[in-house]
């Protein structure tokens, strides 16, 4: 157990809808990153939040947005869902944003868009 | 060229043998290196990290890093059926420390 929890674990949405995924970071960790993992692929970086501010973003469109709260928990919001958004969404928590810092993943949210 | 490359496998190794997993990366600015294990349908689990050239051992696992060759490997000694999983190699760049760049993973199968 990493102490990183995500909710919900599974979700089915219809194309065009909006979704919010949630993540609670490990105690003492102030940095949360979100990743998308398609079947058979490695996780792809969406963005990172450090002390409530976005601290880096991958090649994802603006309809992917996020928030980090004062307790360092985080949300990932996806608007106008597309079929290709179906994937495992992973939240990773780390002690800080440094390069030599390990990241620990939650159990993930499996999103299916139909 | 992919930033992090791994052989997709499957790599089949008999129980008790040494499993050797390899990874190459393209960016010489890569600073830190990670190995994650991922069971089917589960999230990645960090098993090793290495920042300096050479070997790092932790139990049955040894990570090896050669920055000159842009190569990182993971050795699993005394392989067990429970080691059967996909192993993801990942790197962080000093220039963009926020993100971890993952390979597509190598599927390892330990046969009894």
């Amino acid at each position: 157990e990493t102490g990183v929890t995500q909710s919900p674990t599974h979700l089915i949405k219809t194309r065009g809808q909006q979704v919010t995924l949630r993540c609670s970071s490990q105690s003492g960790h102030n940095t949360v990153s979100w990743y998308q993992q398609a079947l058979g692929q490695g996780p792809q970086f969406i963005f990172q939040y450090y002390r409530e501010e976005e601290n880096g973003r991958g090649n994802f469109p603006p309809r992917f947005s996020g928030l980090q709260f004062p307790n360092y928990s985080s949300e990932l919001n996806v608007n106008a869902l597309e079929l290709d958004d179906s994937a495992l969404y992973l939240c990773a928590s780390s002690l800080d944003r440094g390069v030599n810092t390990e990241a620990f993943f939650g159990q993930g949210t499996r999103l299916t868009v139909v | 060229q992919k930033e992090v490359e791994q052989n997709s496998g499957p790599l089949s190794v008999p129980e008790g043998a040494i499993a050797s997993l390899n990874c190459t990366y393209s960016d010489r600015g890569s600073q830190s290196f990670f190995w994650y294990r991922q069971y089917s349908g589960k999230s990645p689990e960090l098993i090793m990290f290495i920042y300096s050239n050479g070997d790092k051992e932790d139990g049955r696992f040894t990570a090896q890093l050669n920055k000159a060759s842009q190569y990182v490997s993971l050795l699993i000694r005394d392989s067990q059926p429970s080691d059967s999983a996909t192993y993801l190699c990942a790197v962080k760049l000093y220039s963009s420390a926020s993100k971890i760049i993952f390979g597509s993973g190598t599927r390892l199968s330990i046969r009894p």
Side-chain angles (χ1 to χ4, degrees), chain A residues 33 35 37 40-43 45 48 55-56 88 90 97-107, chain B residues 2 31-32 34 36 38 41-44 46 49 51 88 92-94 97-100 102-104:
Chain A
S33 304
Y35 290 81
Q37 187 176 24
Q41 300 298 316
F45 176 71
Q48 182 185 80
N55 183 51
L88 180 66
L90 296 160
R97 58 182 175 172
V99 66
N100 289 347
T101 304
E102 302 88 68
F104 301 91
F105 284 92
Q107 80 277 24
Chain B
K2 287 185 180 178
Q31 180 80 8
S32 49
F34 308 88
Y36 286 84
Q38 187 171 29
K42 303 295 185 182
S43 64
L46 180 65
F49 57 89
Y51 306 138
L88 297 163
K92 269 195 185 183
L93 304 179
Y94 184 80
S98 61
K99 69 176 179 179
I100 304 173
F102 285 86
S104 297

Side-chain angles (χ1 to χ4, degrees), chain A residues 11-28:
Chain A
L11 201 52
I12 299 175
K13 288 286 191 178
T14 303
R15 189 171 50 181
Q17 284 187 313
Q18 177 265 343
V19 68
T20 297
L21 310 182
R22 295 180 175 83
C23 171
S24 293
S25 59
Q26 187 176 121
S27 177

Side-chain angles (χ1 to χ4, degrees), chain A residues 38 56 62 70 78 94 103 106 111:
Chain A
V78 187
S94 52
L111 173 65

Side-chain angles (χ1 to χ4, degrees), chain A residues 72-87:
Chain A
Y72 303 132
S73 66
S74 178
E75 285 183 356
L76 164 66
N77 299 291
V78 187
N79 293 321
L81 283 166
E82 301 177 359
L83 296 179
D84 283 350
D85 295 333
S86 295

